[in-house]
Amino acid sequence: MTSSSDQAGYERDLRALHEEWLARDDPQQSPQTLADAAVELIVARERLRAGVADDPVLALLVDQRTLSKMQQWDSSDPEMSTLEKVLRRLAGGRGVDALQLIEATIEARKKALSISQSAKAKRPRRQHSIKLLIDDIVAADPTITEHLLLWKLKRMSGIDVIREVTATEILPTDSSFSPLKVTGLKDLLSRAKKKL
């Protein structure tokens, strides 16, 4: 079993490795250089994990085992299929192809997210229950005043869509809706009248 001090040392060394790798980032580097750096990071992580970073002979054996595992990985999890292909390509010397696959996957996910968000935006939004009630009250009496509207809403408190009307807020029964400010009642009344 690994001691906590060994684990802390491993985590510290791992952080240092990642920071060093990120510090070398250069937007002008070629895709092949980036792919080579990714493979170097993977094998360096495995050397650290195996505790052989300071032993060149054992490090070489760990590197060979790591690259072999990357090439032979065969997951049954469909969500891992892209990662599996990326690692195989990196280990097989096809780093540029691996990076292109990563970029294509990111673009496909961005497109899918955009389509999903667009579909959600097109769906009609669920209207606030108290706002709908105000629209109904105004439709029944288009000349209603703000004071009279507040009085009617207070009388409906505890029945239907209004849980309570306080000095500052109108609280809906449905907690998925936010409370309405009493000070905003004038604007809600104005909008309801414009709808008519």
Side-chain angles (χ1 to χ4, degrees):
M1 187 167 151
T2 307
S3 72
S4 59
S5 63
D6 289 345
Q7 181 65 27
Y10 167 71
E11 289 173 5
R12 184 190 61 245
D13 291 346
L14 193 59
R15 264 193 311 277
L17 176 67
H18 287 169
E19 287 168 8
E20 178 189 332
W21 192 78
L22 290 170
R24 293 186 333 192
D25 185 35
D26 176 10
Q28 303 302 318
Q29 67 187 337
S30 71
Q32 186 60 55
T33 303
L34 182 59
D36 292 344
V39 172
E40 187 181 318
L41 176 66
I42 293 168
V43 295
R45 279 182 58 105
E46 287 303 299
R47 283 183 212 136
L48 274 177
R49 195 163 69 89
V52 298
D54 297 331
D55 186 331
V57 175
L58 291 176
L60 182 61
L61 291 173
V62 169
D63 291 354
Q64 290 170 344
R65 187 179 70 212
T66 300
L67 293 171
S68 175
K69 283 183 176 181
M70 287 169 66
Q71 286 181 317
Q72 295 172 11
W73 184 26
D74 185 19
S75 172
S76 298
D77 186 347
E79 290 187 11
M80 293 292 170
S81 64
T82 301
L83 179 59
E84 188 179 307
K85 288 181 185 213
V86 166
L87 290 176
R88 274 194 193 148
R89 290 176 187 187
L90 284 171
R94 297 174 49 212
V96 174
D97 292 342
L99 295 180
Q100 289 171 344
L101 179 57
I102 292 169
E103 287 175 9
T105 303
I106 290 169
E107 286 305 313
R109 288 191 177 171
K110 278 185 191 174
K111 187 175 182 179
L113 179 62
S114 176
I115 289 169
S116 169
Q117 288 176 331
S118 179
K120 283 180 185 175
K122 289 178 183 176
R123 268 188 247 140
R125 293 184 185 193
R126 189 171 157 225
Q127 296 222 7
H128 198 293
S129 56
I130 298 175
K131 290 179 183 179
L132 290 173
L133 176 62
I134 290 170
D135 288 347
D136 290 345
I137 292 170
V138 172
D141 181 4
T143 62
I144 193 167
T145 65
E146 179 186 354
H147 180 73
L148 185 56
L149 176 60
L150 181 59
W151 179 80
K152 283 192 174 196
L153 293 174
K154 283 181 180 178
R155 295 216 28 187
M156 295 177 171
S157 190
I159 309 170
D160 203 16
V161 298
I162 300 174
R163 181 171 41 119
E164 181 184 358
V165 178
T166 69
T168 58
E169 292 182 321
I170 305 166
L171 306 170
T173 306
D174 184 345
S175 61
S176 66
F177 292 119
S178 58
L180 299 177
K181 299 283 182 197
V182 170
T183 55
L185 199 56
K186 182 178 181 180
D187 291 335
L188 293 172
L189 177 59
S190 176
R191 285 189 203 124
K193 286 183 177 182
K194 282 181 185 174
K195 287 180 187 176
L196 297 177

